[in-house]
Amino acid sequence: MSPEFLLISKYFNLYKTKAYKGIGDDAALIKKNDNYLWAISTDMLNEKTHFLPNTDPFNLGWKALAVNISDIYAMGGVPKFALLAIALPKVKADWMGKFSDGLFSCAKKYKVELIGGDTSRGPLSISICILGEVLKKNTLLRSNAKKEDDIWITGELGLAALGLAKLQKKIQLPKSLSKKAIRALEKPMLHSSIIKIMAKLSNSAIDISDGLIADLDHILEASKVGADISLKDIPMNPWLKKNKLIDIGLSGGDDYQLLFTAPKKNRNKINLLNNMPSIKLTRIGSIKEDKRLNIIDHKDMSYKIKKRGYDHFESK
Ligand code: ADP
Ligand code: MG
């Protein structure tokens, strides 16, 4: 178990809950009525930990809400309401205006209403709590991946981590890629149009916030299964492959793509979703009974990555 998860399990995950689902998934679930559950989740963005000082305030407002919406989508749900807790070191009208515009442009795009929150002085920190609705029979639990399920992911991996490396001056990038990568980091776009249908066609899901391998591991652990994934099938920007930086695609954080596992029999239906505008769903492997995660390279050999994903409490 990772240090972050050890902390949660040792100090917070201590008691049984009356909720339908408590700690351990992208969102907790509470019974709403016979057919629907409420999904509730919270995610925090802290300056210097989650974003660099001087990040564009519009993008920050967008991202603070988007990362929360992403957790509701990862349950197969529809986001509805949000609460915003914000600590500000000082109030600058220009910054506030742009932050608010970014927040509400995300809220409008993904149909979320801000219904409460808390505002105080302190080091810049933004925490949103989000509430969404899930059709009970289509709920996507991390613990429900089944043997032989196909593993699907949306979009392309590694761009956001590349954007961060660029902003931290750790890497040189071609200009157009640099712009694209920083945009992926600062303004993640979500896949609202496929959630309902993927919830119907899939068994489990997670959003890729800490890196593909780390987040797939959460599904495997919760479902007590393993997986084979094929390196050549993992969608990454060609620049990463060309420069032998595939580990950035495998373990880089902040992409907010979604990973689904779905029965083989739904393969054609899922493939058809690729005809929708700006949707890219790629099958990267399958779930196995044997509890290991095998990354298979182009020579059919097992590929070893150095770092599995981002962890807030890993010793450096
Ligand atoms: P995600 O990446 O989807 O936001 P995390 O990996 O941060 O999820 O958290 C894993 C699980 O642990 C989630 O179910 C989350 O709600 C729970 N969790 C995280 N921190 C705490 C905490 N301080 N108290 C209780 N539960 C927590
Ligand atoms: Mg999540």
Side-chain angles (χ1 to χ4, degrees):
M1 211 188 273
S2 71
E4 187 178 326
F5 275 66
L6 276 174
L7 270 181
I8 298 167
S9 109
K10 187 167 175 198
Y11 297 108
F12 302 120
N13 193 4
L14 299 179
Y15 299 104
K16 276 187 98 142
T17 172
K18 293 189 196 71
Y20 183 89
K21 172 88 190 118
I23 294 173
D25 220 303
D26 291 284
L29 298 169
I30 300 164
K31 183 176 168 175
K32 185 183 181 204
N33 56 36
D34 284 349
N35 297 325
Y36 281 91
L37 300 167
W38 286 116
I40 181 163
S41 178
T42 184
D43 245 330
M44 174 163 55
L45 295 186
N46 290 327
E47 190 173 54
K48 292 187 191 150
T49 306
H50 300 96
F51 59 92
L52 299 170
N54 302 320
T55 293
D56 176 74
F58 181 97
N59 288 346
L60 195 57
W62 174 285
K63 183 167 177 175
L65 184 56
V67 300
N68 279 279
I69 294 173
S70 176
D71 275 327
I72 301 297
Y73 286 161
M75 304 304 291
V78 179
K80 296 278 179 189
F81 302 106
L83 302 164
L84 163 70
I86 184 163
L88 299 154
K90 51 184 175 270
V91 175
K92 289 191 204 146
D94 180 51
W95 190 96
M96 293 302 298
K98 287 177 179 151
F99 177 84
S100 166
D101 284 350
L103 179 80
F104 284 105
S105 100
C106 184
K108 187 171 173 213
K109 173 143 180 88
Y110 300 114
K111 302 190 172 68
V112 175
E113 289 174 36
L114 184 69
I115 58 163
D118 194 22
T119 306
S120 81
R121 196 179 288 276
L124 185 57
S125 170
I126 304 140
S127 182
I128 287 181
C129 173
I130 190 142
L131 192 69
E133 207 178 54
V134 196
L135 188 58
K136 194 167 157 186
K137 66 175 189 325
N138 291 344
T139 307
L140 299 174
L141 294 179
R142 290 182 185 177
S143 57
N144 201 40
K146 302 287 185 231
K147 195 175 68 171
E148 306 218 329
D149 271 3
D150 288 331
I151 302 172
W152 295 88
I153 58 173
T154 59
E156 214 173 77
L157 298 178
L159 265 183
L162 212 50
L164 180 62
K166 167 72 190 168
L167 289 177
Q168 292 173 327
K169 302 192 167 62
K170 289 181 179 166
I171 205 166
Q172 294 262 8
L173 296 179
K175 212 170 184 174
S176 66
L177 178 60
S178 169
K179 224 174 139 182
K180 203 172 149 188
I182 293 170
R183 199 171 170 76
L185 172 72
E186 294 193 345
K187 191 167 180 270
M189 301 303 290
L190 308 173
H191 301 279
S192 49
S193 59
I194 57 164
I195 298 304
K196 277 194 180 155
I197 177 85
M198 282 308 282
K200 207 165 154 185
L201 296 173
S202 308
N203 284 326
S204 75
I206 190 166
D207 68 333
I208 306 177
S209 53
D210 297 330
L212 169 67
I213 300 304
D215 286 320
L216 175 55
D217 259 343
H218 293 327
I219 287 208
L220 303 183
E221 241 176 68
S223 300
K224 302 187 174 62
V225 290
D228 285 350
I229 56 173
S230 154
L231 203 51
K232 69 171 182 350
D233 294 330
I234 298 172
M236 287 181 210
N237 190 279
W239 191 89
L240 283 173
K241 293 197 173 176
K242 206 170 79 194
N243 289 278
K244 303 202 165 40
L245 292 170
I246 43 179
D247 280 15
I248 292 190
L250 292 173
S251 63
D254 265 332
D255 277 318
Y256 294 96
Q257 298 297 339
L258 290 164
L259 181 151
F260 300 92
T261 84
K264 247 189 201 166
K265 67 172 174 28
N266 293 338
R267 196 178 283 180
N268 290 342
K269 282 188 188 150
I270 294 175
N271 257 327
L272 283 176
L273 299 178
N274 277 318
N275 295 330
M276 292 168 69
S278 68
I279 292 300
K280 176 166 153 179
L281 275 156
T282 312
R283 188 161 54 84
I284 63 163
S286 56
I287 298 292
K288 303 280 156 176
E289 195 166 8
D290 173 21
K291 287 184 193 152
R292 273 175 307 203
L293 169 54
N294 296 311
I295 308 167
I296 300 156
D297 72 10
H298 63 288
K299 288 182 188 144
D300 242 2
M301 302 288 282
S302 181
Y303 178 82
K304 296 263 172 291
I305 55 163
K306 290 189 188 74
K307 193 169 178 289
R308 297 178 88 75
Y310 188 76
D311 187 293
H312 283 290
F313 297 95
E314 195 172 70
S315 40
K316 299 261 159 64

